[in-house]
Structures are given as structure tokens and as C-alpha cells.
Amino acid sequence: MRVEHARMHAKHRGHEAMHAEMVLILIATLVVAQLLLVQWKQRHPRSYNMVTLFQMWVVPVYFTVKLHWWRFLVIWILFSAVTAFVTFRATRKPLVQTTPRLVYKWFLLIYKISYATGIIGYMAVMFTLFGLNLLFKIKPEDAMDFGISLLFYGLYYGVLERDFAEMCADYMASTIGFYSESGMPTKHLSDSVCAVCGQQIFVDVSEEGIIENTYRLSCNHVFHEFCIRGWCIVGKKQTCPYCKEKVDLKRMFSNPWERPHVMYGQLLDWLRYLVAWQPVIIGLVQGINYILGLE
């Protein structure tokens, strides 16, 4: 027994120092990568957003094929097909009048589905942790797998749709002409036109609409309620589509039942870093360890 113990110590001698080096490499890589990503995002936001969106769209597919998660792959193909059609419509010039509504309806639908799916998944995980799954005679591993799967679906497609929606919102708004990412808009906005979709506003701000209301921002520009909500929440814009004045989301969503949607959107923005860049950083760390002979 002593001989085997001595052999084990001899075999693993120096591993503590090796593990310490690997931890230092991981920390240094995370810090440097974060600094580079922040600088890239600040200096070249368009290319950063496009590369991040591409990685979020493609990287999970590699793991699903490798691990044979066919259900996720089928849902991904359906989502990609419809989103590709919607994105194609949003980037056409001239822009069809019905396209902005189509785009915001689709991404708002996905946003709500992802929100509900994430909440159900979170509740399933919490119920399992508290043992409530036993009341329904469900095995803990099955209940936990169900909850984590729903949580992953909700968060992943929530992150993905917001980035696609932001890209489509930029294209459509610049095509309509009331919005310019840099510089002045190419068209003058009248009081009876919504700058998001370019359509007429028929309901006064003080009136109660049958389908939707009209919303006035603090800069006094008016919009269709669904349009400005889609612009701010789904499209991730927090400025007026015309004059770029800061939008007060707390004032816009004064109803306490609506505030979780704002918080959920902020959570998705934070998670996109983990979905898009974390696998790349971990792969880079493993490559560095391999080159240095650390195993």
C-alpha cells in the first residue's frame, strides 16, 4: 500500500504548480479577452454585433450535431427559416409598407415565447430543488433535465431574436428615412407619422385606441405604441428613433407587470457574451495550455 501511495505521489509530482499555471492562464485570458471585446465594441460596434450574432447563431449548432440533440436542431432550422425570410423583407429597398409591422410582430412573438419558456424552465428547476416534483411522481433527473432544457431554449432564442431584431430595426429605420445611425435623418417627421414604421397615426395621444394607443416620448415625438415598444424592448434601442433623445424606460413601462420584460431584456444582453464568446475563450485557453504542454 505504501509503495502504491509513493508511486502515485511521484506520478503527480509538480501537478500543483501546473494547475496554478493553468488557472493563471485562464484568468489572464479572460481579462485580456474582455478588454479587447470592450474596445472592439466601442470602436467598431457594427462588426462586433455582426460577428457576435453569427457566433450565437452557428456555435450551438456544432454542439447539437455533435451531441445528437435533434429536437433543438429542428427548432433551430424552423426559427432560422422564418427569421431569414423576415430579415430578407426588412433589408429590401424600397421597403414594403407592411414589412415593419411584420418584422416587429415576429420578433415580439419570439420574445414573448422565449420569456414564457424561460420562466417555466426556471420554475421547473426550482420545484425540483425543493422536491415538489415527487408530488407528481416525476424523477428528479427528468424534472431537472426538463427545466434546464426549457431555460436554455428561452434564453438562447431570446438572445438571438433581439440581435436579429436590432439589425432589422436599423435597416428598416434607415430605409424609411426618419432615422440615421450617424448624422441627420433624410426626411422631416410630421406629427401624424410614426418614425418607426413610416405609417400614419390615426389615434390621438389622449384617446384610447381599439387596437393600440399612441405614445408620446419626452421629446414630444409620437409613435404607435407597439412600434415604440418593439423599438425599445425587442430592437434594444433606448433613444428616440428620430431625434435620438434618451428614452426613459421606467416612465414608458410604469405598469409593474411590464417591468420584468425590461429586466429580462437586460439579462439577455448580458447572456449574449456567455453564449457567443465564452466557448471561443475556453477554446483559446485550451490551445494555449496545449502549446505550453500543460495537461
Side-chain angles (χ1 to χ4, degrees), residues 28-45 47-48 52 273 277 280-281 284 288:
T29 305
L30 287 172
V31 172
V32 173
Q34 185 65 34
L35 292 174
L36 291 176
L37 289 173
V38 169
Q39 289 298 316
W40 183 13
K41 184 177 181 181
Q42 290 177 349
R43 297 174 184 271
H44 306 284
S47 63
Y48 171 84
T52 303
Y273 167 78
W277 294 107
V280 177
I281 295 174
L284 181 61
I288 295 173

Side-chain angles (χ1 to χ4, degrees), residues 35 48 54 58 91 93 129 131 134 147 159 180 239 245:
L35 292 174
Y48 171 84
F54 179 77
V58 173
T91 54
K93 293 182 180 182
L129 292 176
L134 299 177
V159 171
S180 175
T239 57
E245 181 176 316

Side-chain angles (χ1 to χ4, degrees), residues 78-264:
L78 293 175
F79 170 83
S80 298
V82 179
T83 301
F85 170 74
V86 171
T87 304
F88 175 81
R89 291 282 300 272
T91 54
R92 296 306 93 193
K93 293 182 180 182
L95 191 68
V96 179
Q97 290 186 348
T98 56
T99 296
R101 291 293 183 132
L102 169 68
V103 171
Y104 282 116
K105 281 181 179 179
W106 166 248
F107 287 119
L108 185 60
L109 173 64
I110 297 299
Y111 180 84
K112 290 182 176 180
I113 292 176
S114 71
Y115 181 75
T117 304
I119 291 296
I120 295 173
Y122 175 77
M123 291 176 63
V125 170
M126 296 307 296
F127 283 173
T128 305
L129 292 176
F130 286 107
L132 298 179
N133 59 292
L134 299 177
L135 297 176
F136 303 96
K137 297 181 180 180
I138 302 175
K139 295 180 179 179
E141 56 270 22
D142 293 338
M144 187 62 73
D145 287 344
F146 174 76
I148 292 176
S149 296
L150 287 184
L151 197 57
F152 172 76
Y153 278 110
L155 295 175
Y156 173 71
Y157 286 106
V159 171
L160 202 58
E161 60 84 20
R162 274 169 66 83
D163 275 15
F164 271 111
E166 182 183 24
M167 181 182 67
C168 291
D170 282 338
Y171 272 107
M172 290 188 303
S174 60
T175 301
I176 292 171
F178 295 118
Y179 171 81
S180 175
E181 194 169 351
S182 59
M184 295 296 293
T186 57
K187 290 183 180 179
H188 175 70
L189 181 67
S190 66
D191 294 337
S192 60
V193 175
C194 174
V196 176
C197 66
Q199 300 299 303
Q200 291 286 325
I201 296 176
F202 297 103
V203 180
D204 191 78
V205 176
S206 58
E207 297 178 358
E208 188 74 20
I210 298 176
I211 300 177
E212 65 176 333
N213 298 324
T214 300
Y215 193 88
R216 186 189 299 276
L217 298 181
S218 57
C219 57
N220 288 326
H221 293 126
V222 293
F223 305 90
H224 297 121
E225 184 180 14
F226 292 161
C227 288
I228 195 61
R229 286 171 181 263
W231 174 267
C232 293
I233 296 300
V234 182
K236 299 196 297 183
K237 307 293 186 183
Q238 295 188 17
T239 57
C240 171
Y242 184 68
C243 68
K244 299 186 179 67
E245 181 176 316
K246 183 75 173 179
V247 174
D248 186 359
L249 294 180
K250 292 183 180 179
R251 177 174 170 267
M252 178 181 292
F253 300 97
S254 55
N255 188 332
W257 293 104
E258 294 177 327
R259 289 182 181 176
H261 287 281
V262 180
M263 296 168 53
Y264 179 64

